[in-house]
Amino acid sequence: MKSFTCAALACIGLLCADSGIAATDQEHVLVTDKLPPARHSLSEVDLANYTGFAQIVDRSQFDHRFVDLGQLLNDLPGIQVAQYGGLGTFSSVSIRGSSGKQVSVFLDGLLLNSPGSGGVNVGTIPSVLIEQIEAYPDFTPIQLGNANLAGAINFRSRQLSDDDIGAQLSLAAGSFGTRNAELSGWGSQRGWQLLGGLSSTRADNDYPVAEELFRTTSKRRQNDGYRQRNGFIKLARDTEMGRLSTLAQYSQSEKELPTTLNHERDNATLDNSSWRLQAVYDYRLGEVDIAHRGFATEVSDLFTDSDSTIGLGEDKTETELRGIGLYNTARWQWGQHEMSLGLELRQDDLDQHDQLEKRKLTGAQRHTAVLAVADNWEVGDQLLLSGAVRHYLQNDSIEFSLSDEAENDRISASSLQLGGQWQVSRSLSLKSNAGLLLRLPTLSEKFGARGLLAGNPELLEEQALSADMGMIIRHRNLRATASVFHRQVDDGIVTIYDSRGIGKPQNIGRSTTTGLESELHWQALTWLA
């Protein structure tokens, strides 16, 4: 359900080199596949050598207003965001008719999808942290490592600068109890560049609802409030060999969980806390560009239903997810070929505890290795051909503490993607891509989830044959894109529920999606698009 919010926004620039900020009531999203002004790291995507139909939302389009990043994605061609309630409610991304599990979501190349459920809530990503949103509807660039069968979304964090010092404060208020405050500051000291930010968001989400939807006389949504607090700090320094940058981020939120009964006594909640630490070292060794990206993350969810308003009994379950990994990338020029090599090593641990009985329920571990090889071949001045191969090695294990049972499973699989880009003229370029892609099963699909899902260790990976082709036209202030796409998914994982309401995933799904995407952007005047 979507609601329209009228917000009043105040922005104050302190000590800024460019202190004049023009306020406007216009809201629009700029979508482009042009290369950003500066690419500080090899781990960032080089759009000039990406043959897919990339879509970019720059921070300048939402910097001075309160936004839900899921809504920005929902405005892009071919992308749909399903939001199951008010602000802060779980928001799942679909690209070209896919499921949310089939789309990889990254933060600076760090995969955010849960190895347990496969999903990620894009609605909880704080806008104060984000510089731009990159959408890749066809294929996942090699710089992002792990890939999926329905493309990727990459949220890039704010960029550092050693040219100025300043701060910005943003305040917003709107309907349904919406309040938002963001404070960020930046500067440099002794060769170190610094950027930090804090944000706080809350909403009552007491929006009107139709009486016939619920077995109650209430005309407002009950128990759907949301509160979130975020903080981040980013440091970078140029060295003799290259550049070192780090990002530390912390987030805490409390989400009330509504029910179909919509009673005032409903009091189920989902509390979340997470922290992430990433570091990238980008340097050149001889003729080879090299980047190392290391990360560590921990996410904790606490589900509380003390009066059994959602489930079948009193419940207080905590789920902890910890991940650590390293992604190494190398790139070198060999004649007209730009060769790239990537190796990702990652370990994820997932533990679930019953806080009422003070006992551990499950403990799972996933080891993932992804080897990627890519080639961008410049055939003359107008034609670019690209190819990429990924091979996945995945080892899963799980222990069920209550039954003293344990299970293990291994998967070895490969994917392939090919692309081409022909620059017909200065204004017209043609693109085409094809590939054999896949999605590996999640831990819950393979081993089950407490009381809801019976696992199926025999599951195969979902496979997809995907292709698209189209054109991009740029002429003065006009930009137009049009493309057709086709995706056929085999061995799709479908959950079949028995008479008890317990589901079991099976490889019985097959789907075919064909469509047309188009967009026209005209910058009529400096202030009108």
Side-chain angles (χ1 to χ4, degrees):
M1 182 180 297
K2 297 183 179 179
S3 59
F4 296 91
T5 301
C6 299
L9 180 64
C11 296
I12 304 174
L14 305 177
L15 305 177
C16 294
D18 297 324
S19 58
I21 299 177
T24 176
D25 292 329
Q26 262 196 222
E27 298 183 0
H28 64 275
V29 174
L30 175 63
V31 180
T32 176
D33 64 347
K34 294 182 179 179
L35 186 68
R39 193 167 65 87
H40 299 292
S41 172
L42 175 60
S43 63
E44 298 173 5
V45 179
D46 184 358
L47 295 179
N49 288 324
Y50 179 69
T51 60
F53 291 87
Q55 301 166 7
I56 305 299
V57 180
D58 190 74
R59 182 172 182 82
S60 61
Q61 307 307 310
F62 61 86
D63 191 26
H64 299 139
R65 59 188 175 100
F66 173 60
V67 296
D68 180 348
L69 296 183
Q71 185 57 51
L72 290 178
L73 285 172
N74 207 34
D75 293 337
L76 298 180
I79 299 179
Q80 297 81 38
V81 178
Q83 185 172 346
Y84 304 97
L87 184 67
T89 307
F90 190 85
S91 300
S92 177
V93 180
S94 170
I95 297 182
R96 293 176 173 175
S98 72
S99 70
K101 295 180 181 180
Q102 295 171 341
V103 179
S104 292
V105 180
F106 299 88
L107 173 61
D108 284 344
L110 169 61
L111 184 65
L112 300 182
N113 298 63
S114 168
S117 65
V120 56
N121 186 4
V122 297
T124 60
I125 298 176
S127 60
V128 69
L129 173 64
I130 303 306
E131 179 73 22
Q132 70 179 25
I133 306 172
E134 304 168 349
Y136 304 100
D138 27 32
F139 302 113
T140 303
I142 190 174
Q143 291 89 345
L144 298 180
N146 212 320
N148 213 324
L149 63 79
I153 305 293
N154 184 39
F155 293 92
R156 281 187 58 197
S157 63
R158 299 268 294 272
Q159 296 299 296
L160 293 141
S161 174
D162 55 2
D163 296 331
D164 57 9
I165 179 173
Q168 178 174 297
L169 172 66
S170 300
L171 303 173
S175 55
F176 316 127
T178 302
R179 302 289 186 272
N180 182 73
E182 294 184 356
L183 174 65
S184 59
W186 54 91
S188 60
Q189 183 69 29
R190 296 183 178 180
W192 285 95
Q193 300 164 14
L194 171 67
L195 172 66
L198 299 169
S199 69
S200 176
T201 302
R202 66 178 301 156
D204 297 334
N205 287 330
D206 57 346
Y207 46 85
V209 293
E211 290 186 36
E212 61 269 18
L213 295 179
F214 306 102
R215 288 170 280 179
T216 177
T217 59
S218 175
K219 294 181 174 58
R220 292 277 177 174
R221 193 51 157 143
Q222 302 292 329
N223 202 61
D224 196 23
Y226 178 67
R227 291 166 295 278
Q228 184 188 52
R229 294 165 294 280
N230 300 280
F232 78 93
I233 185 170
K234 193 170 184 178
L235 290 168
R237 183 182 180 91
D238 292 321
T239 67
E240 293 183 0
M241 292 185 61
R243 180 179 177 86
L244 172 66
S245 62
T246 63
L247 170 65
Q249 186 227 347
Y250 178 77
S251 178
Q252 185 179 28
S253 66
E254 299 90 37
K255 179 71 181 73
E256 297 175 349
L257 301 178
T259 70
T260 55
L261 298 176
N262 200 38
H263 286 157
E264 292 186 8
R265 67 176 181 85
D266 295 343
N267 62 355
T269 59
L270 179 64
D271 299 338
N272 173 276
S273 64
S274 65
W275 62 263
R276 300 180 180 91
L277 178 64
Q278 302 182 66
V280 177
Y281 187 43
D282 191 16
Y283 61 98
R284 186 172 182 85
L285 188 62
E287 299 297 320
V288 182
D289 293 317
I290 300 175
H292 307 288
R293 182 175 67 233
F295 65 87
T297 180
E298 181 174 316
V299 180
S300 175
D301 289 317
L302 178 61
F303 169 66
T304 304
D305 188 7
S306 57
D307 292 334
S308 186
T309 57
I310 290 183
L312 300 178
E314 186 180 1
D315 198 350
K316 190 175 183 179
T317 303
E318 183 178 27
T319 304
E320 295 180 327
L321 173 63
R322 297 175 300 278
I324 187 171
L326 178 67
Y327 185 53
N328 305 282
T329 314
R331 181 185 63 193
W332 66 96
Q333 201 73 29
W334 179 47
Q336 294 179 307
H337 296 265
E338 183 185 80
M339 308 295 296
S340 298
L341 180 66
L343 175 62
E344 180 176 9
L345 302 173
R346 177 173 180 141
Q347 175 180 314
D348 292 288
D349 295 274
L350 191 150
D351 296 322
Q352 195 172 64
H353 295 81
D354 185 341
Q355 297 290 10
L356 294 178
E357 300 292 336
K358 302 299 181 183
R359 61 186 180 184
K360 183 176 180 178
L361 300 175
T362 58
Q365 192 172 83
R366 166 169 285 184
H367 293 90
T368 305
V370 183
L371 176 63
V373 180
D375 177 24
N376 289 319
W377 180 21
E378 294 186 3
V379 185
D381 297 330
Q382 296 176 293
L383 182 61
L384 173 67
L385 300 178
S386 68
V389 178
R390 287 180 173 90
H391 186 71
Y392 302 84
L393 293 173
Q394 186 170 279
N395 184 45
D396 294 330
S397 62
I398 190 169
E399 295 180 355
F400 300 93
S401 301
L402 299 182
S403 60
D404 292 327
E405 296 179 354
E407 296 187 45
N408 295 274
D409 185 55
R410 292 184 179 180
I411 289 181
S412 177
S414 299
S415 65
L416 168 68
Q417 62 189 60
L418 301 171
Q421 177 177 284
W422 180 27
Q423 194 67 40
V424 180
S425 65
R426 181 175 297 181
S427 302
L428 174 64
S429 59
L430 304 178
K431 294 188 174 189
S432 181
N433 303 272
L436 295 171
L437 309 177
L438 54 87
R439 180 184 77 85
L440 304 182
T442 66
L443 289 172
S444 62
E445 289 172 334
K446 294 173 65 175
F447 303 121
R450 181 188 177 200
L452 301 174
L453 208 63
N456 184 0
E458 304 301 320
L459 281 178
L460 303 174
E461 60 273 11
E462 291 183 331
Q463 300 181 1
L465 172 62
S466 183
D468 64 6
M469 63 184 303
M471 63 179 180
I472 299 178
I473 299 175
R474 299 187 188 90
H475 182 68
R476 296 180 180 176
N477 297 330
L478 179 70
R479 179 183 181 274
T481 65
S483 63
V484 293
F485 62 87
H486 175 85
R487 183 191 298 129
Q488 178 178 309
V489 178
D490 294 306
D491 292 325
I493 299 176
V494 178
T495 302
I496 304 299
Y497 291 89
D498 59 20
S499 58
R500 301 170 299 168
I502 298 177
K504 184 174 182 179
Q506 301 181 41
N507 290 109
I508 60 173
R510 182 174 183 178
S511 65
T512 301
T513 306
T514 303
L516 168 67
E517 292 175 353
S518 61
E519 185 219 358
L520 177 66
H521 181 85
W522 178 36
Q523 191 70 40
L525 301 170
T526 305
W527 51 272
L528 177 64

